[in-house]
């Protein structure tokens, strides 16, 4: 029996009800008032949050941070701790608030944070936060969420708006939620209210997609409003969003091009025979020479800087990289198109949510015939034909001119374009295997290796990195000599040739040798737990192929060779095969991963196939000495 005497009765109630929760949100209220004043929309949002802490993790909840910016102006804030003593709560107000700049990789970011600490929080205590903020652009209404990674007792959202303001409320993940919704008209106002009670906590799991695909929420959108009897469209469709976006970029790069930039473009393109080769040369130069740094202020978060400025400074954010690419193509007599896009962390499309929250990135599109190339110079090592991995499958809003745009879906790169192909030959020397390998790495897998390699500046560090990533058999694996080919070449596959040895891999017993040829068991990394609650997400589709040739020692013959294994469904194809040819055994293991995300049913289907391959991983060959 747990003694609760030093805690409030509500603590006893919620600790029993949610024994595994660290805290519970007792009350969450959001009230948004939207008024028409002098033909413009005035938006004020007020929030109240009240939490009860159920275990010693309360101290980790002491630090709190509120973000604000030129779009979200923080007006008033009150915060307090409530410590239960002598059968009542004692309030201690927060007195110190510290402001801090918060630069990150967001699309629009002049974000600052207001940081504070709830005093004396401990198990059984509560905190309460009340604050208001002016939303200075009505296009930026934030989603409101009906759940959290902790239980929520009471969640209420109220929008009070002038009756001439029209809305669209787009719901996500709300199918199994009991939402009490009311709409009332009072005089010149309409009051929209959503109430949800007793929401269980949502579980966080590694490699889950964005929480926006899990937690129930509603995106409020002001579609239009009336002024003097005339309807003003705000975000009634993607066209309205595009009109606003275009108004912010239409005057960019109107100044005369820097002469040095013109000279550079001419140099980059002078020997190129096709337009596409010119684009390739310009694109790769930008990736290599314009450093990505995210820093914004106000609408600067949406307006690219002048190409001349980016060229001189040699750094910029995603929009600046797109700006200089646009200008360089223009100098070369080619047309690029500024393109707005959301990464895979944003699960919305333009038809559902035609608001700025659908986008957090800008790239440049180049269209040639039926082919569209999605150019993102914020990264490095990305070939022209590959979009950034984090925009695969996403809708792109491509600017054509003032009145016209295209929405195109970024393709998902096939698994065989991001491949790890390795061929190995080894011989048995006592209990050690000694051999050579050549691996060819392409696509996103190559990009991952290059990002890792660029930080390793010495030969020993490079060999150490490969020693970890190319490991075979066991942790006794050791690379001896190593050669890299096509390193940092954007359009050629990375090739690595190396010699190696692995101790304690061949077991001798009497006149027999036992060897497990399953030196790489990477497929097991894709098996998820049977009790997983959420989807699992990966960066890209991929293919792995291992071919291993083992020399049969003189005086030995094959006494046992395992059977072949092949499994397949639409998501995964995998096989293990063995073949003897005179004094050699050739082992092959390949698997192709044809998914970016797996829902629970798909995880089970993939797990079932992996388990069959894992049985094959336990198989060994037996070599017997000739008498």
């Amino acid at each position: 029996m747990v003694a609760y005497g030093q805690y409030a009765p509500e603590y006893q109630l919620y600790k029993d009800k949610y024994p595994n929760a660290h805290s519970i949100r007792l009350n969450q209220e959001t009230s948004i008032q939207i008024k028409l004043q002098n033909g413009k929309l005035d938006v004020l949002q007020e929030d109240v949050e009240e939490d009860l802490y159920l275990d010693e993790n309360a101290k980790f909840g002491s630090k709190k941070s509120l973000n604000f910016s030129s779009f979200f102006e923080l007006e008033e804030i009150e915060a307090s701790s409530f410590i239960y003593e002598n059968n009542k709560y004692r309030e201690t107000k927060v007195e110190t608030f510290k402001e801090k700049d918060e630069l990150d990789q967001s699309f629009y970011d002049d974000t600052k944070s207001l940081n504070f600490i709830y005093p004396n929080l401990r198990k059984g205590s509560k905190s309460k936060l009340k604050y208001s903020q002016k939303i200075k652009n009505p296009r930026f209404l934030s989603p409101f969420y009906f759940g959290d990674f902790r239980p929520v007792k009471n969640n209420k959202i109220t929008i009070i708006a002038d009756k001439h303001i029209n809305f669209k409320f787009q719901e996500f993940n709300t199918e199994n939620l009991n939402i009490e919704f009311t709409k009332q008209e009072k005089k010149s106002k309409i009051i929209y209210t959503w109430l949800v009670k007793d929401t269980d906590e949502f579980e966080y799991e590694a490699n889950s997609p964005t929480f926006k695909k899990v937690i129930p929420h509603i995106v409020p959108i002001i579609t239009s409003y009336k002024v003097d009897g005339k309807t003003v469209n705000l975000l009634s469709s993607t066209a309205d969003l595009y009109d606003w976006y275009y108004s912010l970029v239409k005057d960019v790069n109107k100044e005369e091009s820097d002469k040095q930039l013109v000279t550079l473009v001419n140099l980059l393109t002078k020997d190129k025979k096709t337009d596409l080769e010119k684009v390739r040369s310009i694109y790769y130069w930008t990736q290599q020479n314009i450093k990505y740094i995210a820093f914004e202020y106000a609408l600067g978060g949406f307006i690219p800087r002048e190409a001349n400025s980016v060229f001189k400074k040699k750094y910029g954010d995603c929009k600046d990289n797109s700006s200089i690419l646009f200008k360089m193509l223009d100098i070369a007599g080619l047309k690029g198109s500024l393109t707005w896009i959301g990464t895979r962390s944003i699960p919305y499309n333009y038809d559902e949510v035609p608001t700025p929250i659908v986008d957090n990135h800008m790239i440049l599109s180049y269209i040639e015939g039926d082919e569209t190339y999605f150019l993102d110079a914020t990264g490095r090592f990305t070939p022209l034909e590959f979009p950034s991995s984090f925009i695969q499958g996403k809708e792109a809003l491509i600017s054509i001119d003032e009145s016209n745009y295209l929405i195109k879906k970024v393709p998902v790169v096939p698994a065989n374009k991001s491949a790890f192909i390795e061929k190995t030959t080894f011989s048995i020397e006592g209990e050690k295997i000694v051999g050579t390998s050549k691996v060819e790495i392409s696509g996103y897998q190559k990009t991952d290796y290059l990002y890792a390699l660029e930080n390793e500046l010495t030969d020993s560090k490079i060999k150490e990195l490969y020693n970890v990533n190319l490991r075979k058999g066991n942790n006794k694996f050791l690379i001896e000599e190593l050669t890299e080919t096509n390193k940092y070449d954007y359009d050629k596959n990375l090739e690595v040739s190396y010699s190696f040895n692995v101790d304690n891999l061949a077991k001798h017993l009497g006149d027999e040798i036992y060897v497990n040829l399953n030196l790489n068991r990477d497929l097991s990394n894709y098996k998820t737990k049977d009790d997983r609650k959420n989807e699992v997400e990966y960066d890209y589709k991929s293919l792995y192929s291992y071919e291993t040739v083992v020399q049969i020692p003189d005086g030995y013959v094959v006494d046992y060779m395992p059977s072949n294994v092949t499994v397949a469904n639409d998501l995964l194809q995998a096989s293990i095969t063995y073949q003897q040819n005179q004094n050699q055994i050739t082992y092959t293991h390949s698997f192709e991963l044809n998914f970016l995300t797996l829902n629970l049913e798909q995880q089970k289907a993939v797990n079932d196939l992996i388990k069959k391959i894992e049985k094959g991983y336990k198989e060994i060959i037996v070599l017997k000495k000739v008498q």
Side-chain angles (χ1 to χ4, degrees):
M1 180 76 67
V2 179
Y4 291 121
Q6 68 271 41
Y7 304 118
E10 63 181 342
Y11 171 86
Q12 302 177 36
L13 172 67
Y14 293 117
K15 185 63 178 176
D16 289 340
K17 187 174 182 179
Y18 303 107
N20 298 318
H22 299 304
S23 65
I24 177 173
R25 175 143 294 175
L26 297 175
N27 189 41
Q28 179 168 305
E29 293 189 33
T30 298
S31 177
I32 305 172
Q33 297 187 50
I34 307 174
K35 302 176 182 178
L36 268 169
Q37 292 187 337
N38 300 319
K40 295 183 178 181
L41 296 174
D42 182 81
V43 185
L44 179 67
Q45 178 170 322
E46 297 179 331
D47 289 271
V48 177
E49 301 172 2
E50 186 176 0
D51 298 326
L52 171 65
Y53 299 89
L54 301 177
D55 62 20
E56 300 298 345
N57 282 283
K59 60 183 178 181
F60 299 115
S62 297
K63 293 183 179 180
K64 181 73 176 179
S65 179
L66 286 177
N67 290 335
F68 61 99
S69 68
S70 57
F71 293 112
F72 301 90
E73 185 178 287
L74 198 59
E75 295 205 326
E76 295 182 5
I77 179 169
E78 298 176 9
S80 296
S81 297
F82 295 84
I83 311 303
Y84 192 76
E85 293 176 341
N86 300 321
N87 296 320
K88 64 180 180 179
Y89 284 109
R90 175 174 55 83
E91 180 180 6
T92 304
K93 291 186 177 182
V94 175
E95 301 292 345
T96 303
F97 298 88
K98 294 184 179 181
E99 188 176 307
K100 178 183 175 184
D101 287 326
E102 296 289 342
L103 291 177
D104 63 19
Q105 297 186 1
S106 65
F107 181 50
Y108 45 94
D109 184 35
D110 64 331
T111 300
K112 298 181 184 294
S113 64
L114 195 68
N115 301 276
F116 58 93
I117 297 175
Y118 288 116
N120 303 320
L121 280 191
R122 57 179 181 260
K123 183 167 68 173
S125 59
K126 296 197 300 186
S127 64
K128 186 174 182 179
L129 172 65
K130 183 177 181 180
Y131 62 98
S132 62
Q133 55 184 331
K134 189 93 165 177
I135 301 176
K136 301 185 76 172
N137 188 317
R139 296 174 179 86
F140 288 102
L141 293 184
S142 298
F144 35 84
Y145 293 88
F146 293 115
D148 202 339
F149 295 107
R150 57 183 161 188
V152 180
K153 172 63 179 174
N154 183 74
N155 195 330
K156 184 179 181 181
I157 295 96
T158 304
I159 294 179
I160 304 169
D162 290 350
K163 66 179 182 180
H164 294 303
I165 302 172
N166 300 311
F167 292 88
K168 172 184 176 182
F169 301 111
Q170 188 68 50
E171 298 188 15
F172 296 91
N173 316 314
T174 59
E175 299 82 5
N176 299 317
L177 202 63
N178 183 22
I179 302 175
E180 297 179 28
F181 172 73
T182 60
K183 178 181 177 181
Q184 295 178 290
E185 185 168 348
K186 288 188 176 180
K187 297 182 180 180
S188 61
K189 306 289 184 183
I190 297 181
I191 303 171
Y192 306 86
T193 305
W194 295 261
L195 180 63
V196 176
K197 291 184 175 293
D198 299 313
T199 306
D200 288 338
E201 63 185 311
F202 289 87
E203 185 173 346
Y204 173 79
E205 294 174 303
N207 300 320
S208 293
T210 171
F211 68 93
K212 296 172 185 176
K213 290 187 70 174
V214 177
I215 295 180
H217 63 283
I218 291 177
V219 178
I221 304 167
I222 300 175
T223 58
S224 64
Y225 55 93
K226 284 186 177 181
V227 178
D228 298 329
K230 295 181 179 179
T231 298
V232 178
N233 287 333
L234 189 74
L235 293 170
S236 63
S237 67
T238 307
D240 293 334
L241 177 63
Y242 178 74
D243 286 346
W244 184 64
Y245 278 169
Y246 190 84
S247 72
L248 301 175
V249 302
K250 63 183 177 64
D251 295 323
V252 174
N253 288 330
K254 298 298 185 183
E255 62 186 36
E256 184 178 351
S257 299
D258 186 298
K259 291 181 180 179
Q260 291 183 347
L261 182 60
V262 174
T263 300
L264 172 65
V265 171
N266 292 336
L267 182 65
L268 291 171
T269 60
K270 69 174 183 177
D271 296 325
K272 304 301 181 287
K273 296 180 180 179
T274 68
D275 288 347
L276 194 61
E277 287 308 306
K278 294 176 182 178
V279 174
R280 188 185 305 275
S281 180
I282 291 170
Y283 182 41
Y284 292 172
W285 181 91
T286 308
Q287 288 190 52
Q288 293 165 352
N289 292 279
I290 305 299
K291 185 176 182 180
Y292 173 65
I293 298 177
F295 56 99
E296 307 301 345
Y297 183 77
L299 284 176
F302 288 87
I303 302 174
R305 293 173 178 85
E306 290 289 327
N308 290 341
S309 173
V310 179
F311 174 64
K312 289 175 182 176
K313 290 185 287 192
K314 297 297 188 295
Y315 63 80
D317 64 8
C318 62
K319 300 175 302 303
D320 303 334
N321 277 272
S322 300
S323 173
I324 192 170
L325 267 176
F326 178 91
K327 191 62 175 179
M328 291 174 77
L329 292 187
D330 182 60
I331 293 170
L334 303 169
K335 177 175 172 53
S337 297
L338 294 177
T339 300
W340 296 266
I341 195 166
T343 64
R344 288 161 57 196
S345 64
I346 298 177
Y348 314 131
N349 60 46
Y350 289 102
D351 182 58
E352 293 173 328
V353 183
T355 86
I357 70 166
V358 77
D359 298 313
N360 63 346
H361 196 39
M362 178 178 275
I363 60 174
L364 192 81
S365 297
Y366 176 72
I367 301 173
E368 184 172 274
D370 295 331
E371 192 71 38
T372 300
Y373 299 87
F374 299 95
L375 312 183
D376 182 0
T378 60
R380 296 177 303 287
F381 319 126
T382 307
L384 177 70
E385 290 77 11
F386 282 64
S388 299
S389 63
F390 51 78
I391 62 172
Q392 292 181 95
K394 291 290 296 180
E395 287 184 343
L397 181 60
I398 303 172
S399 176
I400 303 301
D401 55 36
E402 182 176 3
S403 304
N404 297 287
Y405 61 89
L406 297 173
I407 295 178
K408 289 195 173 186
K409 183 167 285 190
V410 177
V412 176
V413 177
N416 62 3
K417 298 292 186 181
S418 297
F420 183 101
I421 311 294
E422 186 172 62
K423 294 186 178 182
T424 298
T425 300
F426 74 81
S427 58
I428 300 170
E429 298 181 6
E431 293 198 344
K432 178 186 294 187
I433 70 169
V434 178
T436 60
S437 289
K438 181 177 181 179
V439 59
E440 185 174 351
I441 309 171
S442 63
Y444 295 125
Q445 294 210 56
K446 180 189 77 170
T447 301
D448 284 349
Y449 267 88
L450 295 183
Y451 273 120
L453 285 166
E454 71 172 346
N455 296 318
E456 308 300 344
L457 302 179
T458 65
D459 290 343
S460 61
K461 288 288 187 181
I462 290 171
K463 185 180 287 188
E464 183 180 334
L465 184 146
Y466 280 120
N467 221 71
V468 171
N469 286 279
L470 303 178
R471 178 177 294 169
K472 301 184 187 333
N474 59 41
N475 57 11
K476 301 288 186 181
F477 171 75
L478 184 65
I479 291 176
E480 296 172 336
E481 300 295 329
L482 176 75
T483 303
E484 298 168 301
T485 305
N486 303 329
K487 190 175 182 181
Y488 303 128
D489 189 308
Y490 281 60
D491 295 312
K492 294 181 181 178
N493 297 338
L494 173 64
E495 295 179 1
V496 182
S497 300
Y498 60 96
S499 58
F500 68 92
N501 67 74
V502 189
D503 209 355
N504 297 332
L505 205 62
K507 304 299 181 184
H508 293 253
L509 185 61
D511 59 358
E512 294 180 331
I513 302 175
Y514 302 87
V515 183
N516 189 322
L517 297 184
N518 297 279
L519 303 180
N520 302 86
R521 307 181 186 190
D522 297 334
L523 184 57
S524 292
N525 296 333
Y526 293 87
K527 187 172 67 174
T528 56
K529 294 182 179 180
D530 291 337
D531 62 350
R532 188 178 174 91
K533 301 290 193 301
N534 296 312
E535 288 187 4
V536 62
E537 182 175 52
Y538 299 94
D539 291 338
Y540 47 81
K541 297 181 177 182
S542 54
L543 179 146
Y544 293 80
S545 176
Y546 304 98
E547 179 183 285
T548 303
V549 177
V550 56
Q551 301 290 329
I552 300 172
D554 291 341
Y556 283 81
V557 295
V558 177
D559 187 56
Y560 173 76
M561 194 160 61
S563 300
N564 297 335
V565 182
T566 300
V567 298
N569 60 24
D570 292 340
L571 302 166
L572 168 67
Q573 298 83 47
S575 65
I576 298 174
T577 65
Y578 298 84
Q579 184 177 2
Q580 182 179 356
N581 183 14
Q582 297 181 356
N583 66 335
Q584 294 181 335
I585 297 173
T586 300
Y587 160 97
T588 59
H589 174 35
S590 65
F591 55 95
E592 187 170 316
L593 305 161
N594 290 306
F595 49 80
L596 292 180
T597 60
L598 295 173
N599 60 33
L600 296 181
E601 183 179 342
Q602 291 170 328
Q603 289 174 44
K604 184 179 184 304
V606 168
N607 284 351
D608 289 344
L609 298 191
I610 293 176
K611 290 173 184 176
K612 293 178 181 178
I613 291 294
E614 286 182 326
K615 290 181 180 179
Y617 284 162
K618 298 176 182 178
E619 291 280 3
I620 59 173
I621 61 169
V622 181
L623 306 176
K624 191 174 183 67
K625 194 169 186 177
V626 179
Q627 298 298 327

